[in-house]
Amino acid sequence: MIEERLRKDTQHEIKAVCVVHNETSTGMTSNIAAVRKAIDAAKHPALLLVDSVSGLGSADYEHDKWGADVTVSGSQKGLMLPPGIGFNALSPKAIEASKHSKIPKAYLAWDEILESNKTGYWPTTPSTNLMYGLHEAIDMMQTEGLDTIFARHQRLAEACRRAVAAWDLENQCLDPNAYSPVLTAIVVPEGMDADVLRKHALEKFNLSLGIGLGKLKGKIFRIGHLGDCNELSLMATLSGVEMSFGSIGYKPKASGVVVAQEHLK
Ligand SMILES: *Cc1c(COP(=O)(O)O)cnc(C)c1O
């Protein structure tokens, strides 16, 4: 569809294709390399801009290899830090485009920071406390190893999906190729309000489940299994969900906890 749309744009009015790497409100991933191929196949000059705020550090991502022009990310998801640092990875083509763009910009202008970066400095005071945190997070990630981290996310995600199936609930993402290793969005059955379930989980068990956003409000809840998450943190979450089912009178087909345990042991 992207290729087709770009082919029709013979005047090159489209400046950029914007894609979310890991879509956090629905628990889906996009095939970034395939989007690049579509842009190239259409021989279109549009830039490829990728949001990997929740993907970076949890799902495999290759800014250069996959041909992204700009990738944005943040400190607050897979990097296990509080919010406060934003990252931009830029291709030479993106830097060139920013030099010629006529959109007024200050905060989002790159020239000053690119200049300072040459010497390892910033044009403004950086968030030094978070920089120390980032240093530690990267140390932790290098110790565990990126491949091990990605495999851990896949394993926890699979355990979570098996629990969902045991509960006889549906994953919001229906395409197995697009399953997110970062989080799982779970559709509740007709007649159940996901927010009531979430309220019970929070009030009784101090368990904070992700909310359904926009048109999915009340229809889904989300389980995050990213960053600093291991088998027991996932199992605790699944137990909390199952116990909350009890408080709202939902009787799942089978125990998701038992099925997830089987997968993780
Ligand atoms: C969390 C998240 C954001 C929001 O990041 P902010 O720092 O709050 O702007 C954007 N995109 C995705 C995919 C996210 O998961």
Side-chain angles (χ1 to χ4, degrees):
M1 283 170 77
I2 290 171
E3 180 182 339
E4 206 180 291
R5 182 72 185 79
L6 291 175
R7 277 186 193 283
K8 284 189 190 137
D9 179 36
T10 51
Q11 300 302 310
H12 295 165
E13 282 172 351
I14 295 172
K15 297 299 175 207
V17 176
C18 304
V19 194
V20 181
H21 171 219
N22 181 79
E23 216 291 313
T24 324
S25 57
T26 51
M28 303 185 54
T29 55
S30 297
N31 186 338
I32 304 300
V35 176
R36 173 84 265 168
K37 281 202 190 95
I39 299 172
D40 292 347
K43 297 193 173 54
H44 196 288
L47 295 163
L48 174 56
L49 313 186
V50 184
D51 167 344
S52 188
V53 175
S54 63
L56 192 73
S58 297
D60 195 11
Y61 187 75
E62 306 261 4
H63 171 83
D64 295 311
K65 194 168 140 199
W66 295 350
D69 289 299
V70 180
T71 305
V72 296
S73 193
S75 51
Q76 74 269 35
K77 307 273 170 77
L79 296 179
M80 307 172 283
L81 291 166
I85 310 182
F87 307 99
N88 290 184
L90 314 175
S91 73
K93 190 178 161 190
I95 294 174
E96 205 44 43
S98 80
K99 284 185 186 148
H100 299 114
S101 101
K102 295 188 185 66
I103 303 169
K105 52 190 171 303
Y107 181 72
L108 296 173
W110 291 324
D111 28 357
E112 276 187 32
I113 197 158
L114 286 173
E115 194 50 41
S116 307
N117 274 186
K118 287 180 190 157
T119 52
Y121 283 90
W122 278 266
T124 54
T125 315
S127 180
T128 41
N129 43 356
L130 280 177
M131 300 299 284
Y132 284 114
L134 179 62
H135 198 277
E136 189 60 33
I138 291 173
D139 265 357
M140 285 166 68
M141 293 171 82
Q142 282 180 335
T143 304
E144 188 178 354
L146 272 186
D147 290 343
T148 317
I149 291 173
F150 296 151
R152 166 167 58 83
H153 281 76
Q154 293 288 2
R155 221 159 74 80
L156 296 179
E158 176 63 27
C160 186
R161 288 191 295 265
R162 288 184 186 207
V164 172
W167 291 331
D168 209 11
L169 300 182
E170 194 167 69
N171 192 331
Q172 172 68 21
C173 176
L174 296 176
D175 176 1
N177 292 315
Y179 282 158
S180 170
V182 174
L183 80 154
T184 304
I186 300 144
V187 183
V188 300
E190 202 71 39
M192 188 198 292
D193 184 338
D195 289 341
V196 173
L197 176 77
R198 288 180 51 256
K199 189 168 182 285
H200 277 270
L202 186 63
E203 286 175 2
K204 274 193 139 164
F205 309 116
N206 206 18
L207 169 66
S208 175
L209 295 167
I211 194 168
L213 296 161
K215 59 184 172 190
L216 292 174
K217 185 170 166 42
K219 296 190 162 59
I220 65 161
F221 66 95
R222 295 175 298 151
I223 294 177
H225 27 74
L226 71 157
D228 182 31
C229 187
N230 64 15
E231 285 82 356
L232 293 187
S233 30
L234 179 69
M235 289 314 306
T237 306
L238 298 176
S239 293
V241 172
E242 217 160 282
M243 288 153 91
S244 305
F245 283 151
S247 14
I248 63 165
Y250 177 66
K251 289 191 181 61
K253 183 178 73 175
S255 166
V257 169
V258 170
V259 169
Q261 276 173 351
E262 281 301 312
H263 183 66
L264 293 175
K265 74 183 185 195

